[in-house]
Amino acid sequence: MILCQNVAELKNSVAKFKQEGKSIGLVPTMGALHEGHASLIKASHAENDITIVSVFVNPTQFGPNEDYAAYPRTLEKDCTVAQQAGADIVFAPKKEDLYPHEDMTWVEVTGDITKVLCGRSRPIHFRGVTTVITKLFNLAQPDRAYFGLKDAQQTQVLQRMVEDLFFNVELRIMPIVREADGLAKSSRNVYLSPQERKAALILSRSLKHAHDLYMQGERNTAVLLQAVTKMIESEPLSNIDYIEMYRLPGLLSVDETISGKVLLAVAVKFGTTRLIDNVVLGDE
Ligand code: AMP
C-alpha cells in the first residue's frame, strides 16, 4: 500500500491506473479509522481493482465552535487499518494541497435537503462536504465511491450533487457498523467519558424500539417520534439537538402516516460530544 501525501503524486498514480484500464473505488474519510470505515474499504476492495482511501480532516465542514482542532488525527494507525481492509493508496493531503487559495470555490447543494437535520445546527457543514468531495472525485476519478448510512443526510446530499452535476461515479451506501452493545461506531466516541458512553446507548436502543413498533404495524409519525423522544429524554445526560423523520430519497417532509421509506434520525449531545444515529423504516 502506498501513502500519498500530495496532489501531484495522486494524479500520477490515477493516470497510470486509468491507462491500465483499472476500476477505482474511493473511500473518503476524516481518519481515526474504525470498523465502520473498514467496512467501506472492504466493500470497495471487493468491487474495484484499486481502492483509494482519503484521510483528510476537512476544515470547511466544521463550524467556528466545532471540534476541528480537537478531531483525532492518527495517520499511522489509519494506514494499518486501511491496508488490512484492502486499500491500495491512502491519500492524506495537507490543508494547503486541497485548499491552495484563500478565496474559495464552493460547491453547494441548496434547498431543504441541506437545511433540515444536521443542516440546521451546522449551517455551513454540507457546503464543506460537497466542496471537498468534488475535489476528491476530480482527483481520484473513481468509478464508485463509498459512504456510510451512519451519515444518512450526507449520502442524500451527495446523491443530489452527483445527479445535478452529472458526476460519472456510482455512490455505494453501506450499512451502519455498531459496537457489540449497539452504539454506532464513530471517530467521536473517543471523546465520551465512561458515563456518557453508557448513556449514549439510549440512541440505538430508542431507534430499535421505534423499528420494533414499526414492524408491529405502527405507522403514525407522531407516535414513533414520541416514543424515541420519551426514551432519549429519560436519559439525564442527553441533550437533544433533533429527533426527526423524513421521506427517502430526498429528505422530503413526512405525512401524518408513514408510507414508503423514511429516515428516522437523531442528533444528541452527551457532554460536549454530539452523536448522530438513525434507522431507515420501510426498507424491509
Ligand atoms: P468520517 O471519517 O466520519 O467522515 O466518515 C467517513 C465515512 O465513513 C462516511 O461515509 C461515514 O458515513 C462512514 N462511517 C462512519 N462511521 C460509520 C459506521 N459506524 N458505519 C458505517 N459507516 C461509517
Side-chain angles (χ1 to χ4, degrees):
M1 195 200 69
I2 300 165
L3 170 62
C4 168
Q5 293 192 272
N6 72 71
V7 163
E9 214 181 307
L10 181 72
K11 276 179 149 177
N12 282 338
S13 300
V14 168
K16 190 171 129 274
F17 298 142
K18 290 279 168 192
Q19 224 167 33
E20 294 166 352
K22 291 187 167 147
S23 61
I24 298 177
L26 172 68
V27 184
T29 82
M30 296 207 300
L33 299 187
H34 50 65
E35 285 163 51
H37 300 110
S39 74
L40 309 186
I41 300 168
K42 285 178 190 163
S44 172
H45 180 60
E47 296 176 352
N48 302 278
D49 298 322
I50 297 292
T51 291
I52 301 174
V53 178
S54 62
V55 172
F56 182 65
V57 185
N58 175 37
T60 61
Q61 70 189 67
F62 288 80
N65 298 316
E66 294 183 356
D67 56 343
Y68 174 67
Y71 200 86
R73 287 159 170 86
T74 58
L75 185 57
E76 216 171 298
K77 185 172 160 265
D78 291 345
C79 287
T80 309
V81 175
Q83 180 164 27
Q84 280 170 0
D88 299 285
I89 292 187
V90 166
F91 175 51
K94 281 188 282 299
K95 192 175 140 193
E96 306 74 55
D97 292 323
L98 288 197
Y99 295 102
H101 306 292
E102 224 170 272
D103 291 330
M104 286 279 314
T105 299
W106 293 107
V107 177
E108 184 169 14
V109 175
T110 60
D112 285 351
I113 197 168
T114 51
K115 291 198 179 70
V116 297
L117 298 170
C118 289
R120 199 170 304 123
S121 44
R122 307 186 75 190
I124 62 158
H125 174 70
F126 289 110
R127 185 183 69 164
V129 170
T130 42
T131 298
V132 80
I133 294 295
T134 296
K135 290 169 188 270
L136 293 170
F137 281 178
N138 284 333
L139 289 172
Q141 295 179 46
D143 298 279
R144 298 177 194 84
Y146 294 77
F147 297 92
L149 189 55
K150 161 91 187 335
D151 298 88
Q153 185 175 16
Q154 174 171 287
T155 67
Q156 295 298 306
V157 172
L158 290 173
Q159 189 63 56
R160 175 68 57 80
M161 177 186 88
V162 163
E163 282 167 27
D164 282 353
L165 300 183
F166 306 104
F167 275 107
N168 201 9
V169 57
E170 180 192 353
L171 299 194
R172 303 276 292 124
I173 312 303
M174 298 294 134
I176 301 176
V177 176
R178 297 179 179 280
E179 303 286 353
D181 60 9
L183 181 69
K185 286 192 186 261
S186 164
S187 307
R188 292 191 164 97
N189 290 349
V190 294
Y191 300 150
L192 298 168
S193 71
Q195 291 86 346
E196 289 162 355
R197 167 71 182 73
K198 213 168 139 206
L201 285 179
I202 200 65
L203 302 187
S204 55
R205 284 190 185 145
S206 61
L207 292 169
K208 183 179 178 308
H209 178 53
H211 184 256
D212 289 346
L213 290 175
Y214 178 88
M215 293 308 279
Q216 288 157 22
E218 183 58 68
R219 292 292 182 274
N220 186 293
T221 304
V223 169
L224 291 165
L225 286 172
Q226 241 328 297
V228 176
T229 307
K230 214 170 129 201
M231 275 182 80
I232 297 181
E233 277 179 352
S234 75
E235 170 46 64
L237 293 185
S238 74
N239 183 2
I240 296 170
D241 178 355
Y242 64 72
I243 298 171
E244 288 174 27
M245 215 189 270
Y246 290 94
R247 292 200 328 258
L248 288 174
L251 303 185
L252 304 169
S253 13
V254 273
D255 299 320
E256 245 171 74
T257 307
I258 296 175
S259 63
K261 211 154 80 160
V262 296
L263 173 74
L264 172 47
V266 302
V268 178
K269 268 185 148 184
F270 296 89
T272 53
T273 308
R274 183 176 173 280
L275 299 180
I276 56 171
D277 201 348
N278 68 75
V279 65
V280 176
L281 304 177
D283 208 14
E284 289 76 17

